[in-house]
Amino acid sequence: MLFLLVAALRPAGWGLRTCMIAAFFGAGLIEASRLVHTPALDAFRATLPGQLLLGTLFSPWNLCA
């Protein structure tokens, strides 16, 4: 899903490889954000959009997927 979002919003001149790299780093940032627990982030994660966008639990297997 993240790759499709990056590919749809990519700047002109970005190829497939650049989109894949950007999606990988984006997924890494999202997974790393799950390790940070602040009251504002936890409140956002309690909502449906927060669960869909950020998730709730860190899993290294998500990076592999």
Side-chain angles (χ1 to χ4, degrees), residues 2-3 16 19 24 39 50 58 63:
L2 188 58
F3 172 75
L16 180 65
C19 289
F24 177 76
F58 174 78
L63 287 176

Side-chain angles (χ1 to χ4, degrees), residues 6-64:
V6 170
L9 300 176
R10 70 180 180 204
W14 277 27
L16 180 65
R17 181 179 295 173
T18 308
C19 289
M20 289 175 67
I21 292 169
F24 177 76
F25 281 114
L29 286 173
I30 290 171
E31 283 297 316
S33 76
R34 292 180 188 173
L35 296 173
V36 177
H37 292 280
T38 63
L41 272 177
D42 288 339
F44 179 64
R45 286 185 184 118
T47 65
L48 181 61
Q51 289 176 357
L52 294 175
L53 292 173
L54 297 179
T56 54
L57 299 173
F58 174 78
S59 173
W61 296 110
N62 288 342
L63 287 176
C64 295

